[in-house]
Coordinates of all heavy atoms in Angstrom, one line a residue:
M70 N 77.5 85.9 83.0 CA 78.7 85.8 82.3 C 79.0 84.3 81.9 O 78.9 83.4 82.7 CB 79.9 86.3 83.2 CG 81.2 86.2 82.5 SD 82.4 87.0 83.6 CE 83.4 87.7 82.3
P71 N 79.2 84.1 80.6 CA 79.4 82.7 80.1 C 80.7 82.1 80.7 O 81.7 82.9 80.9 CB 79.4 82.8 78.6 CG 79.8 84.2 78.3 CD 79.3 85.0 79.5
I72 N 80.7 80.8 80.8 CA 81.9 80.1 81.2 C 82.8 80.0 80.0 O 82.4 79.5 79.0 CB 81.6 78.8 81.8 CG1 80.7 78.9 83.1 CG2 82.9 78.0 82.1 CD1 80.2 77.7 83.7
L73 N 84.1 80.4 80.2 CA 85.0 80.4 79.1 C 85.7 79.0 79.0 O 86.0 78.4 80.0 CB 86.1 81.5 79.2 CG 85.6 82.9 79.3 CD1 86.7 83.9 79.5 CD2 84.9 83.3 78.0
S74 N 86.0 78.6 77.8 CA 86.7 77.4 77.6 C 88.2 77.7 77.9 O 88.6 78.8 78.0 CB 86.6 76.9 76.2 OG 87.2 77.8 75.3
E75 N 89.0 76.6 78.0 CA 90.5 76.8 78.3 C 91.1 77.6 77.1 O 91.9 78.5 77.3 CB 91.1 75.4 78.4 CG 92.6 75.5 78.6 CD 93.4 74.2 78.6 OE1 92.7 73.2 78.6 OE2 94.6 74.2 78.5
K76 N 90.6 77.3 75.9 CA 91.2 78.1 74.7 C 90.8 79.6 74.8 O 91.7 80.4 74.6 CB 90.5 77.5 73.5 CG 91.0 78.1 72.2 CD 90.3 77.5 71.0 CE 90.7 78.1 69.7 NZ 90.1 77.5 68.5
E77 N 89.6 79.9 75.2 CA 89.2 81.3 75.3 C 89.9 82.0 76.5 O 90.3 83.1 76.3 CB 87.7 81.4 75.5 CG 86.9 81.0 74.3 CD 85.4 80.8 74.6 OE1 85.0 80.3 75.7 OE2 84.6 81.2 73.7
R78 N 90.1 81.3 77.6 CA 90.9 81.9 78.7 C 92.3 82.2 78.3 O 92.9 83.2 78.6 CB 90.9 80.9 79.9 CG 89.6 81.0 80.7 CD 89.7 80.2 82.1 NE 90.1 78.9 82.0 CZ 89.3 77.8 81.8 NH1 88.0 78.0 81.7 NH2 89.7 76.6 81.7
L79 N 92.9 81.2 77.6 CA 94.3 81.4 77.1 C 94.4 82.6 76.1 O 95.3 83.5 76.2 CB 94.8 80.2 76.5 CG 96.3 80.1 76.0 CD1 97.2 80.4 77.2 CD2 96.6 78.7 75.5
L80 N 93.4 82.7 75.3 CA 93.4 83.8 74.3 C 93.2 85.2 75.0 O 93.9 86.2 74.7 CB 92.3 83.6 73.3 CG 92.2 84.6 72.1 CD1 93.6 84.5 71.3 CD2 91.1 84.2 71.2
R81 N 92.4 85.2 76.1 CA 92.2 86.4 76.9 C 93.5 86.8 77.6 O 93.8 88.0 77.7 CB 91.1 86.2 77.9 CG 89.7 86.0 77.3 CD 88.9 87.3 77.2 NE 87.7 87.1 76.5 CZ 86.5 87.1 77.1 NH1 86.4 87.3 78.4 NH2 85.4 86.9 76.4
K82 N 94.2 85.8 78.1 CA 95.5 86.1 78.7 C 96.5 86.8 77.7 O 97.2 87.7 78.1 CB 96.1 84.9 79.4 CG 95.4 84.4 80.6 CD 96.1 83.1 81.1 CE 95.4 82.6 82.3 NZ 96.0 81.3 82.8
I83 N 96.5 86.2 76.5 CA 97.4 86.8 75.5 C 96.9 88.2 75.1 O 97.8 89.1 75.0 CB 97.3 85.9 74.2 CG1 98.0 84.5 74.5 CG2 98.0 86.6 73.0 CD1 97.7 83.5 73.4
Q84 N 95.7 88.4 75.1 CA 95.2 89.8 74.8 C 95.5 90.7 75.9 O 95.9 91.9 75.7 CB 93.6 89.8 74.6 CG 93.2 89.1 73.3 CD 91.7 88.8 73.3 OE1 91.1 88.7 74.3 NE2 91.2 88.7 72.1
A85 N 95.5 90.3 77.2 CA 95.8 91.1 78.3 C 97.3 91.5 78.2 O 97.7 92.7 78.5 CB 95.5 90.5 79.6
C86 N 98.2 90.5 77.9 CA 99.6 90.8 77.8 C 99.9 91.8 76.6 O 100.7 92.7 76.8 CB 100.4 89.5 77.6 SG 100.7 88.6 79.1
S87 N 99.2 91.6 75.5 CA 99.3 92.5 74.4 C 98.9 93.9 74.8 O 99.6 94.9 74.4 CB 98.4 92.0 73.2 OG 98.9 90.8 72.7
F88 N 97.8 94.1 75.5 CA 97.4 95.4 76.0 C 98.5 96.0 76.9 O 98.9 97.2 76.7 CB 96.1 95.3 76.7 CG 95.6 96.6 77.2 CD1 94.9 97.5 76.4 CD2 95.8 97.0 78.6 CE1 94.5 98.7 76.9 CE2 95.4 98.2 79.1 CZ 94.7 99.1 78.2
A89 N 99.0 95.2 77.8 CA 100.1 95.7 78.7 C 101.3 96.1 78.0 O 101.9 97.1 78.3 CB 100.4 94.6 79.8
L90 N 101.6 95.4 76.9 CA 102.8 95.8 76.1 C 102.6 97.1 75.4 O 103.5 97.9 75.3 CB 103.2 94.7 75.1 CG 103.8 93.4 75.8 CD1 103.8 92.3 74.8 CD2 105.2 93.7 76.3
V91 N 101.4 97.3 74.8 CA 101.1 98.6 74.1 C 101.2 99.7 75.1 O 101.8 100.8 74.9 CB 99.8 98.5 73.5 CG1 99.3 99.9 73.0 CG2 99.8 97.5 72.3
E92 N 100.6 99.6 76.3 CA 100.6 100.6 77.3 C 102.1 100.9 77.8 O 102.5 102.0 78.0 CB 99.8 100.2 78.5 CG 98.3 100.2 78.2 CD 97.8 101.6 77.8 OE1 98.0 102.5 78.6 OE2 97.1 101.7 76.8
A93 N 102.9 99.8 78.0 CA 104.2 100.0 78.4 C 105.0 100.7 77.3 O 105.9 101.6 77.6 CB 104.9 98.6 78.7
N94 N 104.8 100.4 76.1 CA 105.4 101.0 74.9 C 105.2 102.5 75.0 O 106.1 103.3 74.8 CB 105.0 100.4 73.6 CG 105.5 101.1 72.4 OD1 104.7 101.3 71.5 ND2 106.7 101.4 72.4
L95 N 103.9 102.9 75.2 CA 103.6 104.3 75.2 C 104.3 105.0 76.4 O 104.8 106.1 76.2 CB 102.1 104.5 75.3 CG 101.2 104.0 74.1 CD1 99.7 104.1 74.5 CD2 101.5 104.9 72.9
Y96 N 104.3 104.4 77.5 CA 105.0 104.9 78.7 C 106.5 105.1 78.4 O 107.1 106.1 78.7 CB 104.8 104.1 79.9 CG 105.6 104.5 81.1 CD1 105.1 105.6 81.9 CD2 106.8 103.9 81.5 CE1 105.8 106.0 83.0 CE2 107.5 104.3 82.6 CZ 107.0 105.4 83.3 OH 107.7 105.8 84.4
L97 N 107.1 104.0 77.8 CA 108.5 104.1 77.6 C 108.9 105.1 76.5 O 110.1 105.5 76.5 CB 109.1 102.7 77.3 CG 109.1 101.7 78.4 CD1 109.3 100.3 78.0 CD2 110.2 102.1 79.4
D98 N 108.0 105.4 75.6 CA 108.3 106.4 74.6 C 108.7 107.8 75.3 O 109.5 108.5 74.8 CB 107.1 106.7 73.7 CG 106.9 105.6 72.7 OD1 107.9 104.8 72.5 OD2 105.9 105.5 72.0
S99 N 108.1 108.0 76.4 CA 108.4 109.3 77.1 C 109.3 109.1 78.4 O 109.7 110.1 79.0 CB 107.1 110.0 77.5 OG 106.3 109.2 78.4
H100 N 109.5 107.9 78.7 CA 110.4 107.6 79.9 C 111.4 106.4 79.5 O 111.3 105.3 80.1 CB 109.6 107.1 81.1 CG 108.6 108.2 81.5 ND1 107.3 108.3 80.9 CD2 108.6 109.1 82.5 CE1 106.7 109.3 81.5 NE2 107.4 109.8 82.5
P101 N 112.2 106.6 78.5 CA 113.0 105.5 78.0 C 114.0 104.9 78.9 O 114.5 103.8 78.6 CB 113.7 106.1 76.7 CG 113.7 107.6 77.0 CD 112.5 107.9 77.8
T102 N 114.3 105.5 80.0 CA 115.3 104.9 80.9 C 114.7 104.4 82.2 O 115.5 104.1 83.1 CB 116.5 106.0 81.2 OG1 115.9 107.1 81.8 CG2 117.2 106.3 79.9
C103 N 113.4 104.4 82.3 CA 112.7 104.0 83.5 C 112.9 102.5 83.7 O 112.5 101.7 82.9 CB 111.3 104.3 83.5 SG 110.3 103.7 84.9
K104 N 113.7 102.1 84.8 CA 114.0 100.7 85.0 C 112.7 99.9 85.3 O 112.6 98.7 84.9 CB 115.0 100.6 86.1 CG 116.4 101.1 85.7 CD 117.4 100.9 86.8 CE 118.7 101.5 86.3 NZ 119.7 101.5 87.3
D105 N 111.8 100.5 86.0 CA 110.5 99.8 86.3 C 109.7 99.5 85.1 O 109.1 98.5 84.9 CB 109.7 100.5 87.4 CG 110.3 100.5 88.8 OD1 111.1 99.6 89.0 OD2 110.0 101.4 89.6
G106 N 109.7 100.6 84.2 CA 109.0 100.4 83.0 C 109.6 99.4 82.1 O 108.9 98.6 81.4
L107 N 110.9 99.4 82.0 CA 111.6 98.4 81.2 C 111.4 97.0 81.7 O 111.2 96.0 80.9 CB 113.1 98.7 81.1 CG 113.5 100.0 80.3 CD1 114.9 100.4 80.6 CD2 113.2 99.7 78.8
A108 N 111.4 96.8 83.0 CA 111.2 95.5 83.6 C 109.7 95.1 83.4 O 109.5 93.9 83.1 CB 111.5 95.6 85.1
Y109 N 108.8 96.0 83.5 CA 107.4 95.7 83.2 C 107.2 95.2 81.8 O 106.5 94.2 81.6 CB 106.5 96.9 83.5 CG 105.1 96.8 83.3 CD1 104.3 96.3 84.4 CD2 104.5 97.1 82.1 CE1 102.9 96.2 84.2 CE2 103.1 96.9 81.9 CZ 102.3 96.5 83.0 OH 101.0 96.4 82.8
F110 N 107.8 95.9 80.9 CA 107.7 95.5 79.5 C 108.3 94.1 79.3 O 107.7 93.3 78.6 CB 108.4 96.5 78.6 CG 108.3 96.2 77.1 CD1 107.2 96.7 76.4 CD2 109.3 95.5 76.4 CE1 107.1 96.5 75.0 CE2 109.1 95.2 75.1 CZ 108.0 95.7 74.4
A111 N 109.5 93.9 79.8 CA 110.2 92.6 79.6 C 109.4 91.5 80.2 O 109.3 90.4 79.6 CB 111.6 92.7 80.3
H112 N 108.8 91.7 81.4 CA 108.0 90.7 82.0 C 106.8 90.3 81.1 O 106.5 89.1 80.9 CB 107.5 91.2 83.4 CG 106.4 90.3 84.0 ND1 106.6 89.1 84.5 CD2 105.0 90.5 84.0 CE1 105.5 88.5 84.9 NE2 104.5 89.3 84.6
H113 N 106.1 91.3 80.6 CA 104.9 91.0 79.8 C 105.2 90.4 78.4 O 104.5 89.6 77.9 CB 104.0 92.2 79.7 CG 103.3 92.5 81.0 ND1 102.2 91.7 81.4 CD2 103.5 93.4 82.0 CE1 101.8 92.2 82.6 NE2 102.6 93.2 82.9
K114 N 106.4 90.8 77.9 CA 106.9 90.3 76.6 C 107.2 88.8 76.8 O 106.7 88.0 76.0 CB 108.1 91.0 76.2 CG 108.7 90.5 74.9 CD 109.9 91.3 74.5 CE 110.4 90.9 73.1 NZ 111.7 90.2 73.2
T115 N 107.9 88.4 77.9 CA 108.2 87.0 78.1 C 106.9 86.2 78.4 O 106.8 85.1 77.8 CB 109.1 86.9 79.4 OG1 110.3 87.6 79.1 CG2 109.5 85.5 79.7
E116 N 106.0 86.8 79.1 CA 104.7 86.1 79.4 C 103.9 85.9 78.2 O 103.4 84.8 77.9 CB 103.9 86.9 80.5 CG 102.7 86.2 80.9 CD 102.8 84.9 81.7 OE1 103.9 84.6 82.1 OE2 101.8 84.2 81.8
K117 N 103.9 86.9 77.3 CA 103.1 86.7 76.1 C 103.7 85.7 75.2 O 103.0 84.9 74.6 CB 103.0 88.1 75.3 CG 102.2 87.9 74.1 CD 102.1 89.2 73.3 CE 101.3 89.0 72.0 NZ 101.4 90.1 71.1
E118 N 105.1 85.7 75.1 CA 105.7 84.7 74.2 C 105.4 83.3 74.7 O 105.2 82.4 73.9 CB 107.2 84.9 74.2 CG 107.6 86.2 73.4 CD 109.1 86.6 73.6 OE1 109.7 86.1 74.5 OE2 109.5 87.5 72.9
K119 N 105.4 83.1 76.1 CA 105.1 81.8 76.7 C 103.7 81.4 76.4 O 103.4 80.2 75.9 CB 105.4 81.8 78.2 CG 105.1 80.5 78.9 CD 105.2 80.7 80.4 CE 103.9 81.2 80.8 NZ 103.4 81.0 82.1
L120 N 102.7 82.3 76.5 CA 101.3 82.0 76.3 C 101.1 81.7 74.8 O 100.3 80.8 74.5 CB 100.5 83.2 76.8 CG 100.4 83.4 78.3 CD1 99.8 84.8 78.6 CD2 99.7 82.3 79.0
V121 N 101.7 82.5 73.9 CA 101.5 82.3 72.5 C 102.1 80.9 72.1 O 101.4 80.2 71.3 CB 102.1 83.4 71.6 CG1 102.3 83.0 70.2 CG2 101.4 84.7 71.8
A122 N 103.2 80.5 72.6 CA 103.8 79.2 72.3 C 102.8 78.1 72.8 O 102.6 77.1 72.1 CB 105.1 79.0 73.0
E123 N 102.2 78.3 74.0 CA 101.3 77.3 74.5 C 100.0 77.2 73.6 O 99.6 76.1 73.3 CB 100.9 77.7 76.0 CG 99.9 76.7 76.6 CD 99.5 77.2 78.0 OE1 100.1 78.1 78.6 OE2 98.5 76.6 78.5
Y124 N 99.5 78.4 73.2 CA 98.4 78.4 72.3 C 98.7 77.7 71.0 O 97.9 76.9 70.6 CB 97.9 79.8 72.1 CG 96.6 79.9 71.3 CD1 95.4 80.1 71.9 CD2 96.6 79.8 69.9 CE1 94.2 80.2 71.2 CE2 95.4 79.9 69.2 CZ 94.3 80.0 69.9 OH 93.1 80.1 69.1
N125 N 99.8 78.0 70.4 CA 100.2 77.4 69.2 C 100.3 75.9 69.3 O 99.9 75.1 68.4 CB 101.5 77.9 68.7 CG 101.4 79.4 68.2 OD1 100.3 79.8 67.8 ND2 102.5 80.1 68.2
E126 N 100.8 75.4 70.4 CA 101.0 74.0 70.6 C 99.6 73.3 70.7 O 99.4 72.2 70.2 CB 101.9 73.7 71.8 CG 102.1 72.2 72.1 CD 103.0 72.0 73.3 OE1 104.0 72.8 73.5 OE2 102.7 71.1 74.0
K127 N 98.7 73.9 71.5 CA 97.5 73.3 71.8 C 96.4 73.4 70.7 O 95.6 72.5 70.4 CB 96.9 73.8 73.1 CG 97.6 73.4 74.3 CD 96.9 74.0 75.5 CE 97.6 73.5 76.8 NZ 97.0 74.1 78.0
Y128 N 96.4 74.6 70.0 CA 95.3 75.0 69.1 C 95.7 75.4 67.7 O 94.9 75.6 66.9 CB 94.5 76.1 69.8 CG 94.0 75.8 71.1 CD1 94.6 76.5 72.2 CD2 93.1 74.8 71.4 CE1 94.1 76.2 73.5 CE2 92.7 74.5 72.7 CZ 93.2 75.2 73.7 OH 92.8 74.9 75.0
G129 N 97.0 75.4 67.4 CA 97.5 75.8 66.1 C 97.9 77.2 66.1 O 97.8 77.9 67.2
P130 N 98.4 77.7 65.0 CA 99.0 79.1 65.0 C 98.0 80.2 65.2 O 96.8 80.1 64.8 CB 99.6 79.2 63.5 CG 98.9 78.1 62.8 CD 98.5 77.0 63.7
L131 N 98.4 81.1 66.0 CA 97.6 82.3 66.3 C 97.6 83.3 65.2 O 96.6 84.0 65.0 CB 98.0 82.9 67.6 CG 97.2 83.9 68.3 CD1 95.8 83.4 68.6 CD2 97.8 84.3 69.6
T132 N 98.7 83.4 64.5 CA 98.8 84.3 63.3 C 99.5 83.5 62.2 O 100.1 82.4 62.5 CB 99.7 85.5 63.7 OG1 101.0 85.1 63.9 CG2 99.1 86.3 64.8
I133 N 99.5 84.0 61.0 CA 100.1 83.2 59.9 C 101.6 83.1 60.0 O 102.1 82.1 59.5 CB 99.7 83.9 58.5 CG1 100.2 85.3 58.5 CG2 98.2 83.8 58.3 CD1 100.0 85.9 57.1
T134 N 102.2 84.0 60.7 CA 103.7 83.9 60.8 C 104.1 82.8 61.8 O 105.3 82.5 61.9 CB 104.3 85.3 61.2 OG1 103.7 85.7 62.5 CG2 104.0 86.3 60.2
Q135 N 103.2 82.3 62.6 CA 103.5 81.2 63.5 C 103.3 79.8 63.0 O 103.3 78.9 63.7 CB 102.7 81.5 64.8 CG 103.1 82.8 65.5 CD 102.1 83.2 66.5 OE1 100.9 82.8 66.5 NE2 102.5 84.2 67.3
N136 N 103.0 79.7 61.7 CA 102.9 78.4 61.1 C 104.2 77.8 61.1 O 105.1 78.2 60.4 CB 102.3 78.5 59.7 CG 102.0 77.2 59.1 OD1 101.0 76.6 59.4 ND2 102.9 76.6 58.3
N137 N 104.4 76.7 61.8 CA 105.8 76.1 62.0 C 105.9 74.8 61.2 O 107.0 74.1 61.3 CB 106.1 75.9 63.5 CG 106.2 77.2 64.2 OD1 106.8 78.1 63.7 ND2 105.7 77.2 65.4
S138 N 104.9 74.3 60.5 CA 105.0 73.1 59.8 C 105.5 73.3 58.4 O 105.0 74.2 57.7 CB 103.6 72.4 59.8 OG 103.7 71.2 59.1
S139 N 106.4 72.4 58.0 CA 106.8 72.5 56.6 C 106.1 71.4 55.7 O 106.3 71.3 54.5 CB 108.4 72.2 56.5 OG 108.7 70.9 57.0
K140 N 105.2 70.7 56.4 CA 104.5 69.6 55.7 C 103.1 70.0 55.3 O 102.5 69.5 54.4 CB 104.4 68.4 56.6 CG 105.8 67.8 56.8 CD 105.8 66.5 57.6 CE 107.2 66.3 58.0 NZ 107.7 65.1 57.7
K141 N 102.5 71.0 56.1 CA 101.1 71.4 55.7 C 100.9 72.9 56.3 O 101.5 73.3 57.2 CB 100.0 70.5 56.2 CG 99.8 70.6 57.7 CD 98.6 69.7 58.1 CE 98.4 69.8 59.6 NZ 97.3 69.0 60.0
W142 N 100.0 73.6 55.6 CA 99.7 74.9 56.0 C 98.6 74.8 57.1 O 97.4 74.7 56.9 CB 99.1 75.7 54.8 CG 98.9 77.1 55.0 CD1 97.7 77.7 54.9 CD2 99.8 78.1 55.3 NE1 97.8 79.1 55.2 CE2 99.1 79.4 55.4 CE3 101.2 78.2 55.5 CZ2 99.7 80.6 55.7 CZ3 101.8 79.4 55.8 CH2 101.1 80.6 55.9
E143 N 99.1 74.9 58.4 CA 98.2 74.7 59.5 C 97.2 75.8 59.8 O 96.2 75.6 60.4 CB 99.1 74.5 60.8 CG 99.9 73.3 60.8 CD 100.9 73.2 62.0 OE1 101.2 74.3 62.6 OE2 101.2 72.1 62.4
W144 N 97.5 77.0 59.2 CA 96.6 78.1 59.5 C 95.1 77.8 59.1 O 94.2 78.3 59.7 CB 97.1 79.3 58.6 CG 96.3 80.5 58.8 CD1 95.6 81.1 57.8 CD2 96.2 81.4 59.9 NE1 95.0 82.3 58.3 CE2 95.3 82.4 59.6 CE3 96.7 81.3 61.2 CZ2 95.0 83.4 60.5 CZ3 96.3 82.3 62.1 CH2 95.5 83.3 61.8
V145 N 94.9 77.0 58.0 CA 93.5 76.8 57.6 C 93.0 75.4 58.1 O 91.8 75.1 57.7 CB 93.4 76.9 56.0 CG1 93.7 78.3 55.6 CG2 94.3 75.9 55.4
T146 N 93.7 74.7 58.8 CA 93.2 73.4 59.2 C 92.5 73.3 60.6 O 92.0 72.3 61.0 CB 94.4 72.3 59.3 OG1 95.3 72.8 60.2 CG2 95.0 72.2 57.9
S147 N 92.4 74.5 61.2 CA 91.7 74.5 62.5 C 90.9 75.8 62.5 O 91.2 76.7 61.7 CB 92.7 74.5 63.7 OG 93.6 75.6 63.6
P148 N 90.0 76.0 63.4 CA 89.2 77.2 63.5 C 90.2 78.4 63.7 O 91.2 78.3 64.4 CB 88.3 77.0 64.7 CG 88.2 75.6 64.9 CD 89.5 75.0 64.5
F149 N 89.8 79.5 63.1 CA 90.6 80.7 63.4 C 90.5 81.1 64.8 O 89.5 80.8 65.5 CB 90.2 81.9 62.5 CG 90.5 81.6 61.0 CD1 89.5 81.3 60.1 CD2 91.8 81.6 60.6 CE1 89.8 81.1 58.8 CE2 92.1 81.3 59.3 CZ 91.1 81.1 58.3
P150 N 91.5 81.8 65.4 CA 91.5 82.1 66.8 C 90.2 82.9 67.3 O 89.8 82.7 68.4 CB 92.7 83.0 67.0 CG 93.6 82.6 65.9 CD 92.7 82.3 64.8
W151 N 89.6 83.6 66.5 CA 88.4 84.4 66.9 C 87.1 83.6 66.7 O 86.1 84.1 67.1 CB 88.4 85.7 66.1 CG 88.4 85.5 64.6 CD1 87.3 85.3 63.8 CD2 89.5 85.5 63.8 NE1 87.7 85.1 62.5 CE2 89.0 85.2 62.4 CE3 90.9 85.7 64.0 CZ2 89.9 85.2 61.3 CZ3 91.7 85.6 62.9 CH2 91.2 85.3 61.6
E152 N 87.2 82.5 66.1 CA 86.0 81.6 65.9 C 85.7 80.8 67.1 O 86.6 80.3 67.7 CB 86.1 80.7 64.7 CG 86.2 81.5 63.4 CD 86.4 80.5 62.2 OE1 87.0 79.5 62.3 OE2 85.8 80.9 61.1
R153 N 84.4 80.7 67.4 CA 84.0 79.9 68.6 C 84.2 78.4 68.1 O 83.9 78.0 67.0 CB 82.6 80.1 69.0 CG 82.5 81.5 69.6 CD 81.1 81.5 70.3 NE 80.9 82.8 70.9 CZ 81.2 83.0 72.2 NH1 81.7 82.1 73.0 NH2 81.1 84.2 72.7
S154 N 84.6 77.6 69.1 CA 84.7 76.2 68.8 C 84.2 75.4 70.1 O 84.2 76.0 71.2 CB 86.2 75.7 68.5 OG 87.0 76.0 69.6
V155 N 83.8 74.2 69.8 CA 83.3 73.4 71.0 C 84.5 72.6 71.5 O 85.1 71.8 70.8 CB 82.2 72.4 70.5 CG1 81.8 71.6 71.7 CG2 81.1 73.2 69.9
D156 N 84.9 72.9 72.7 CA 86.1 72.3 73.3 C 85.7 71.2 74.2 O 84.7 71.2 74.9 CB 87.0 73.2 74.1 CG 87.7 74.2 73.1 OD1 88.0 73.8 72.0 OD2 88.1 75.2 73.6

């Protein structure tokens, strides 16, 4: 198994949170008042938002809607999230 860079590890954590949110969403569709399910969703939503903010700060926007600069279009100035880079 290859050693992951910090960028790749962070991206994997974001992907794991995204997966957990989709699964929680499916569960909550049939159990909309489950307090544990709602808490699980809220926890992973908060965690994903934190991780995405960290990724954006360190490596640039993860998606086009996260471009926060009014001075330049950051989306094209760094490797895309799925591209390998030498860290």
Side-chain angles (χ1 to χ4, degrees):
M70 179 176 216
I72 297 174
L73 300 177
S74 67
E75 179 185 350
K76 180 180 180 181
E77 291 169 323
R78 281 192 302 274
L79 186 55
L80 191 54
R81 296 264 175 108
K82 288 179 182 178
I83 292 168
Q84 291 169 334
C86 281
S87 295
F88 179 82
L90 287 169
V91 169
E92 291 296 308
N94 174 224
L95 292 172
Y96 175 79
L97 288 167
D98 283 349
S99 61
H100 302 81
T102 59
C103 177
K104 290 181 182 174
D105 290 337
L107 291 166
Y109 182 88
F110 184 88
H112 167 75
H113 287 286
K114 180 178 182 249
T115 300
E116 183 67 13
K117 182 181 176 189
E118 289 168 350
K119 181 187 85 154
L120 292 167
V121 167
E123 181 182 346
Y124 186 97
N125 289 338
E126 184 178 319
K127 289 181 177 179
Y128 306 109
L131 192 56
T132 66
I133 59 171
T134 59
Q135 295 163 346
N136 187 80
N137 293 323
S138 176
S139 62
K140 297 184 189 229
K141 73 176 182 179
W142 186 243
E143 294 176 336
W144 179 248
V145 296
T146 60
S147 60
F149 291 110
W151 57 86
E152 292 180 325
R153 290 193 178 266
S154 63
V155 178
D156 287 336

